[in-house]
Amino acid sequence: MSASDPTTPASHNLAFIESQYARYLDDPSQLSEDWREYFASFADNGVDTTAVRHALDAPHFPTRSIFDPAASATPAEVAPRASTGTDDGSLIKVIQLIHQYRVRGHLLADLDPLGIQRPAYHPELDPKYYGFTEADYDRVFEHNTIAGGAKPMTLREILERVETVYSREIAVQFMHIDSLPCKKWLIKHLEDPHYQRSLSPAEQRRVLGRLTDAEVFEDFLGKKYLGAKRFSLEGSETLMPLLDLALEDAGAHGVEEVVVAMAHRGRLNVMVNLLGKSPSDLFHLFEDDHPHLHEGRGDVKYHLGHSNDFVTSQGHKMHLSLCFNPSHLEFVNPVALGRVRAKQNRLEDYDRRKVLGILIHGDAAIAGQGVTQELLNMSGLPGYLTGGTLHIVVNNQIGFTTPPELGRSTRYATEIGRMLQTPIFHVNGENPEAVARVVRLAMDYRNEFNQDVFIDMYCYRKFGHNESDEPAYTQPLMYEVIRKRKTVREGYLDHLLALGDVTKDEADKLAEERRADLQSHLDHARSDHELETSSGEGLWGTYRGGRDADTPQVETGVERETLQRVGRQALEIPEKFNIHRKLKRLLKQRREMVAGERPFDWATAELTAFATLLAEGSPIRFTGQDSPRGTFSHRHAAFTDVEIGHPLIPLTKVAETYGTRFTIHESPLSEVAVLGFEYGFSLDTPEGLTIWEAQFGDFVNVAQVIIDQFIASSEDKWARLSSVVMLLPHGFEGQGPEHSSARLERFLTLAAEDNIQVVNVTTPAQYFHCLRRQVRRPIRKPLVVMSPKSLLRHPRVVSPLDDLTHGGFQRVIGDDSELASVRKVILTSGKVYWDLIEAREERGIDDVAIVRLEQYYPYDLEEIDRAVSQWGELPVTWVQEEPRNMGAWSFIRTAFDDEMQDRWRLSCVCRKPSASPATGSLAAHRQEQSRLIEKALA
């Protein structure tokens, strides 16, 4: 339809426009470009309806001259009529002005308590931009679209309302949200005075109490431990009432557990004043008078976690868990949300409402660290939903010494949050009551829509990055302002004193009581007090860490009838399910394997390991890039109906039969956040199997922080156990530098004090027993599996049914071949073993024994020695595919040779040292591999 050729009478056109505008409100995409032009033609031709003007005001429409005072327009179009509220063009300008405050009002907000960052002028928030003058401020407008503004309002009243809501000490970014219900909800709750009530006297006293707790605690620590690092909350004390109010609202919404993650700023304050950690225990750590208890282990006090129960003012009890946190600030966040997901599963809270995650960020960290983007990208995916996270940014307006303008390219630290289509609340942290209103809105929104929500609390850092640092070296002007400021508590107390609800004596008494209580705890800590320790009861009561040698090996074979029964169930496909024709043959082969008519391949051994564990009541969670099908098209744990696209995961039926859960999820193209999530999940699922699979083993490089700071060291640093499994495809097969090595050497460098298990298994049965051992043993340690690629379909890499029904995992497998007089022994591991076996047979060599090291760590030298020395004291050659400076050689030489040098003459055959793991040429790879095998057998 042409704008110049309307086909219906004007009155009908107006009715049509009204109906189209109603459709537009429900779905903006309903309006095509033709209809936009059609609407515009009515406006240009003097038709004056609110509906037309509303429609043209939408961001999808081109700007028309009638709405732009700076553009050419006739006097009749812009001249005001009488102040009766009839539409003369001014009403739509008022509506535009209100809309712009919703979109850009945050630009005028007074957020910085220091007053250094001043609000910026923006013309679209200036009434003059729309042609209004002072004479228009008392004009009455009967309809203005302000929520709760049913009565006629003057322009002055309208401005006062929108400035109060959007441009004072609270600023909200929400117009980027596409969902109309979400936007309507926010507008209603932000603009309607009913939702802007002040705090009651009881709530004000509670806020004052929390501010007093925070301030007295930091002041006490600063004086008693002068110069000691504590990463104080001073300047950001409003975080304490913010968290307190958030927990109150969470309790009102039925939350039963809360998992909190935060870096070190204010952490000690949160532990003592919110989670109820004994101040005596904390002071004991500051005294540091038992060094012999901490040699080689433990962590600094501001990295430690804590858990306790919290009771709201209404008597609702919640369990709070503060996650331990290394100095890699934001990397704890996926760990925390993995714990949230696990707790929700345990409570069968599949609506994701009973467990809440609270992530406390720093302004420099949330903007600067990419793990945040990965986590936000994951948050809406089926495998990672947690029902909405409360993100709190303690915005000190500085990094270590770096100001915002040098630390990010965005106006706000929270711009990354806009990707989630969720509101971002900015608030001046020196106004605790504004913070309280924001908390109420944020928690109500999260409860209503089960979405993440952000609170960006502007504050400051009273001291440097730590208490011994001098911040004035780099920010002299900022710290001159900070030096002259009252504390947040003092400012809020002045406000309450002016209201007359609290007296000075009452407030002083409260502070003195807090100070006296801390002093009594300090006196206790300086006596014979010892730290409280966990009893190990509850969820982790039957599991333990410690030395691997202290835990007996277990039989992990499964009775034949049981294995076959659950194996058949794991391969059941409904008759009406249209499976891909190529997979029908695969299923037939797998059924033959389960029946004992064909040896097991790798994928079927894995499938039956999962099925038997599920039958024993152990839940399984498996995630990774392309994991349901398998990167190498081998697993096929999930099937898709080729006609209707419906998915099917047979193992879920097995799980349902035995009252447990099996989930396998595609992960996003991300490693660090995904692995962190799975590690966190494992922390609260000790009875289950939690697996993360890398698409190729080298992808684990991107997750190194989670491995170093959490997985490999958490038992040593925080006495926290995990049995998370990492499947890392590894093996030199000519696929180039990036797809050959899972960087085995890095894991072996980290291996100490029985902290992790590192294996490189060579048969499906070994893999079967390894997975089952991870659950059946009471010890809980992370497991790193150098998993295969070409061996997944290697004709020799199969196992008979009996190998799965008997025995258990073998850490070392000797050579039981019929050999003549053996002249040397090869010790090797993984895929190269099969290359050596094939070459030995092809060449008719019968005087070289080949022993497989299936588990690198923890190792048992006596067991290895028995396998190697059964032919007497002979030269032992370690053979690996990796270059000499990579792989296991350095580890083997250090671990074995020192103790066995009198019995073994240990040498190595490998590729020469290299800066890159492997060649990119398939032909070159084959030459290298051929030379390596020839040298090993020579």
Side-chain angles (χ1 to χ4, degrees):
M1 179 180 294
S2 167
S4 61
D5 183 30
T7 60
T8 52
S11 60
H12 185 85
N13 288 338
L14 294 177
F16 178 75
I17 288 172
E18 293 283 358
S19 68
Q20 289 300 298
Y21 179 59
R23 290 180 65 199
Y24 164 75
L25 286 177
D26 291 329
D27 184 359
S29 66
Q30 292 291 327
L31 294 180
S32 69
E33 193 65 40
D34 287 343
W35 284 116
R36 296 175 198 172
E37 294 180 9
Y38 188 43
F39 290 170
S41 72
F42 279 87
D44 286 347
N45 287 283
V47 177
D48 201 5
T49 70
T50 300
V52 175
R53 298 178 187 279
H54 268 294
L56 288 170
D57 185 43
H60 302 280
F61 288 86
T63 301
R64 309 298 299 182
S65 62
I66 191 171
F67 304 115
D68 187 352
S72 59
T74 65
E77 289 176 326
V78 296
R81 297 183 184 177
S83 59
T84 60
T86 57
D87 184 19
D88 63 349
S90 296
L91 177 59
I92 189 58
K93 297 173 188 176
V94 170
I95 293 170
Q96 279 188 297
L97 180 59
I98 293 168
H99 175 77
Q100 290 303 324
Y101 264 92
R102 291 169 180 162
V103 176
R104 298 185 176 87
H106 60 89
L107 298 174
L108 300 185
D110 184 16
L111 299 175
D112 180 9
L114 301 178
I116 296 173
Q117 302 293 330
R118 304 306 305 166
Y121 171 79
H122 195 282
E124 291 176 290
L125 302 175
D126 187 344
K128 294 178 182 178
Y129 179 81
Y130 304 92
F132 293 117
T133 68
E134 287 289 335
D136 295 305
Y137 277 43
D138 292 318
R139 288 183 59 187
V140 176
F141 294 86
E142 294 181 1
H143 305 285
N144 51 63
T145 76
I146 289 181
K151 69 175 185 177
M153 299 175 69
T154 66
L155 178 59
R156 190 183 310 278
E157 290 171 328
I158 293 169
L159 284 170
E160 174 66 21
R161 178 73 64 80
V162 293
E163 286 175 0
T164 299
V165 172
Y166 297 113
S167 300
R168 294 282 170 84
E169 292 179 307
I170 296 174
V172 192
Q173 291 177 281
F174 71 100
M175 292 299 283
H176 58 277
I177 299 173
D178 291 333
S179 167
L180 189 60
C182 292
K183 281 197 286 194
K184 283 183 174 180
W185 189 97
L186 286 161
I187 289 171
K188 177 181 179 181
H189 286 72
L190 286 164
E191 295 179 6
D192 192 333
H194 173 73
Y195 295 101
Q196 297 178 18
R197 68 175 180 85
S198 299
L199 297 184
S200 68
E203 289 171 321
Q204 290 173 333
R205 288 170 181 268
R206 188 177 180 102
V207 169
L208 178 63
R210 288 302 191 183
L211 289 173
T212 301
D213 291 342
E215 182 176 300
V216 170
F217 175 82
E218 297 293 359
D219 181 68
F220 188 88
L221 276 184
K223 290 177 178 176
K224 299 300 181 180
Y225 299 101
L226 190 64
K229 286 185 181 181
R230 54 192 167 91
F231 296 95
S232 83
L233 196 60
E234 288 161 285
S236 313
E237 293 95 335
T238 310
L239 176 64
M240 297 307 297
L242 189 164
L243 288 171
D244 181 56
L245 292 166
L247 293 175
E248 285 284 315
D249 285 348
H253 292 146
V255 171
E256 298 178 14
E257 292 199 51
V258 178
V259 179
V260 183
M262 67 182 299
H264 29 281
R265 177 77 51 211
R267 187 181 189 85
L268 302 181
N269 212 314
V270 169
M271 281 200 291
V272 169
N273 288 319
L274 198 71
L275 280 91
K277 182 179 178 68
S278 167
S280 297
D281 285 348
L282 181 63
F283 297 148
H284 190 92
L285 295 174
F286 272 96
E287 295 293 316
D288 200 13
D289 51 6
H290 293 87
H292 62 284
L293 298 176
H294 306 288
E295 288 188 7
R297 60 177 56 88
D299 201 352
V300 291
K301 46 195 162 291
Y302 36 80
H303 287 174
L304 302 179
H306 191 69
S307 62
N308 209 344
D309 290 336
F310 179 93
V311 181
T312 70
S313 60
Q314 302 303 310
H316 182 86
K317 186 167 79 171
M318 295 179 290
H319 188 71
L320 307 188
S321 300
L322 175 65
C323 297
F324 39 80
N325 192 95
S327 284
H328 288 67
L329 307 172
E330 297 288 305
F331 288 85
V332 70
N333 296 331
V335 175
L337 295 192
R339 296 191 63 190
V340 169
R341 175 85 173 204
K343 289 175 180 290
Q344 290 171 339
N345 285 4
R346 186 171 299 283
L347 294 173
E348 298 185 350
D349 174 27
Y350 303 124
D351 291 332
R352 313 290 172 194
R353 291 188 174 275
K354 295 180 182 178
V355 187
L356 167 67
I358 299 179
L359 305 183
I360 304 173
H361 312 267
D363 52 314
I366 191 174
Q369 298 191 11
V371 66
T372 307
Q373 186 274 335
E374 289 191 17
L375 182 62
L376 297 184
N377 181 57
M378 289 162 50
S379 64
L381 304 181
Y384 308 93
L385 290 172
T386 58
T389 298
L390 174 61
H391 298 265
I392 300 168
V393 179
V394 179
N395 195 332
N396 294 140
Q397 306 182 79
I398 194 167
F400 193 143
T401 65
T402 305
E405 61 270 19
L406 298 179
R408 63 176 187 261
S409 299
T410 57
R411 179 182 185 89
Y412 297 112
T414 51
E415 290 294 343
I416 193 171
R418 288 163 62 97
M419 67 185 283
L420 286 191
Q421 298 269 311
T422 196
I424 300 170
F425 297 91
H426 308 279
V427 61
N428 189 319
E430 228 171 41
N431 186 334
E433 297 205 10
V435 171
R437 286 195 292 273
V438 163
V439 170
R440 185 182 300 120
L441 276 167
M443 293 301 292
D444 285 351
Y445 182 90
R446 185 259 175 193
N447 185 64
E448 181 73 17
F449 297 105
N450 270 49
Q451 293 180 357
D452 288 31
V453 64
F454 290 77
I455 298 176
D456 180 15
M457 187 183 77
Y458 276 69
C459 42
Y460 59 90
R461 189 185 68 196
K462 185 175 181 179
F463 301 108
H465 177 67
N466 60 64
E467 286 66 28
S468 62
D469 186 52
E470 176 51 77
Y473 290 154
T474 51
Q475 276 77 35
L477 300 182
M478 171 185 273
Y479 277 88
E480 181 61 21
V481 174
I482 291 172
R483 188 178 62 82
K484 297 176 181 178
R485 294 197 71 74
K486 287 184 175 181
T487 66
V488 178
R489 175 185 176 274
E490 289 170 340
Y492 188 57
L493 179 57
D494 288 346
H495 169 69
L496 296 184
L497 293 175
L499 294 176
D501 292 328
V502 174
T503 67
K504 182 72 163 56
D505 288 344
E506 187 180 358
D508 289 346
K509 182 180 178 182
L510 178 64
E512 190 52 45
E513 287 174 352
R514 300 289 197 271
R515 196 170 289 109
D517 181 64
L518 291 174
Q519 183 61 54
S520 68
H521 279 283
L522 179 60
D523 294 341
H524 183 49
R526 288 175 172 171
S527 63
D528 293 331
H529 167 72
E530 292 187 3
L531 281 171
E532 296 178 5
T533 56
S534 171
S535 64
E537 298 175 355
L539 184 64
W540 283 90
T542 59
Y543 307 102
R544 64 173 189 79
R547 280 169 33 91
D548 179 85
D550 295 337
T551 304
Q553 296 301 307
V554 293
E555 294 285 322
T556 49
V558 179
E559 199 272 331
R560 186 185 186 95
E561 181 182 343
T562 300
L563 186 148
Q564 291 181 323
R565 183 182 69 252
V566 297
R568 286 192 299 269
Q569 188 178 6
L571 294 168
E572 287 179 2
I573 304 293
E575 286 186 15
K576 294 183 178 180
F577 191 88
N578 302 293
I579 195 167
H580 192 285
R581 59 182 180 81
K582 291 184 179 180
L583 297 179
K584 292 180 181 179
R585 181 168 176 267
L586 176 98
L587 281 172
K588 180 177 181 293
Q589 292 173 346
R590 288 185 176 179
R591 293 187 183 110
E592 291 170 353
M593 294 175 195
V594 169
E597 299 166 2
R598 174 192 290 262
F600 279 69
D601 63 10
W602 202 274
T604 311
E606 179 186 80
L607 177 80
T608 49
F610 291 162
T612 54
L613 286 172
L614 292 169
E616 293 164 4
S618 299
I620 298 172
R621 174 180 167 88
F622 193 138
T623 69
Q625 295 155 11
D626 311 299
S627 287
R629 192 203 76 173
T631 296
F632 311 103
S633 195
H634 67 287
R635 178 169 292 116
H636 296 290
F639 300 95
T640 303
D641 189 301
V642 295
E643 293 188 9
I644 63 173
H646 185 73
L648 175 70
I649 303 175
L651 280 167
T652 59
K653 279 293 186 183
V654 180
E656 290 170 8
T657 301
Y658 296 97
T660 187
R661 283 176 61 82
F662 176 82
T663 55
I664 185 165
H665 297 287
E666 305 270 9
S667 78
L669 195 63
S670 146
E671 288 80 33
V672 66
V674 173
L675 181 56
F677 193 99
E678 303 313 323
Y679 168 73
F681 191 92
S682 75
L683 294 175
D684 284 86
T685 318
E687 77 282 15
L689 189 62
T690 304
I691 301 175
W692 173 70
E693 181 180 56
Q695 193 175 58
F696 283 90
D698 62 286
F699 286 19
V700 80
N701 293 350
V702 189
Q704 199 65 41
V705 172
I706 299 299
I707 296 164
D708 291 351
Q709 302 299 324
F710 292 94
I711 292 174
S713 58
S714 62
E715 182 178 354
D716 202 43
K717 293 192 294 189
W718 309 308
R720 291 305 306 265
L721 305 178
S722 164
S723 59
V724 69
V725 179
M726 289 177 277
L727 301 182
L728 309 178
H730 175 83
F732 284 55
E733 295 156 349
Q735 296 194 55
E738 269 61 71
H739 292 335
S740 294
S741 176
R743 296 293 188 173
L744 170 64
E745 63 276 1
R746 294 182 183 171
F747 293 100
L748 296 180
T749 299
L750 292 169
E753 301 179 293
D754 291 3
N755 59 333
I756 57 176
Q757 305 165 99
V758 184
V759 303
N760 194 358
V761 297
T762 55
T763 71
Q766 277 283 85
Y767 182 46
F768 172 89
H769 291 297
C770 185
L771 290 175
R772 288 184 47 78
R773 180 186 69 160
Q774 188 71 355
V775 178
R776 303 312 329 150
R777 297 177 84 201
I779 198 168
R780 288 295 178 262
K781 303 281 182 175
L783 171 64
V784 181
V785 181
M786 297 286 119
S787 60
K789 295 174 290 184
S790 62
L791 299 191
L792 296 171
R793 293 181 178 84
H794 196 293
R796 300 187 65 157
V797 183
V798 292
S799 299
L801 176 61
D802 285 350
D803 283 1
L804 279 64
T805 59
H806 296 87
F809 180 73
Q810 301 176 71
R811 301 181 187 213
V812 185
I813 301 179
D815 192 338
D816 58 2
S817 306
E818 293 184 7
L819 300 173
S821 177
V822 174
R823 60 181 168 82
K824 79 171 184 178
V825 178
I826 289 176
L827 182 62
T828 191
S829 186
K831 171 231 162 209
V832 71
Y833 165 78
W834 292 105
D835 294 342
L836 290 165
I837 287 291
E838 289 183 345
R840 187 177 70 173
E841 292 177 355
E842 288 173 2
R843 301 175 190 187
I845 297 173
D846 63 357
D847 58 358
V848 175
I850 305 175
V851 175
R852 283 172 276 177
L853 184 62
E854 299 280 287
Q855 177 166 303
Y856 293 105
Y857 191 83
Y859 56 82
D860 183 335
L861 279 179
E862 292 184 3
E863 186 176 0
I864 297 169
D865 187 41
R866 284 194 297 272
V868 168
S869 302
Q870 60 179 299
W871 298 279
E873 295 185 10
L874 295 172
V876 177
T877 301
W878 171 254
V879 178
Q880 66 178 36
E881 295 181 299
E882 301 88 349
R884 190 178 186 88
N885 58 316
M886 301 177 191
W889 169 237
S890 295
F891 174 81
I892 294 290
R893 183 173 52 186
T894 301
F896 298 177
D897 200 27
D898 286 351
E899 297 189 37
M900 293 295 177
Q901 58 185 339
D902 294 336
R903 302 186 56 182
W904 299 1
R905 285 169 286 165
L906 190 62
S907 61
C908 178
V909 171
C910 56
R911 283 172 168 80
K912 65 181 182 179
S914 174
S916 174
T919 177
S921 162
L922 179 59
H925 159 76
R926 287 171 175 163
Q927 287 182 0
E928 292 175 359
Q929 195 77 354
S930 177
R931 286 197 299 266
L932 185 145
I933 298 301
E934 182 177 351
K935 185 175 180 181
L937 295 173

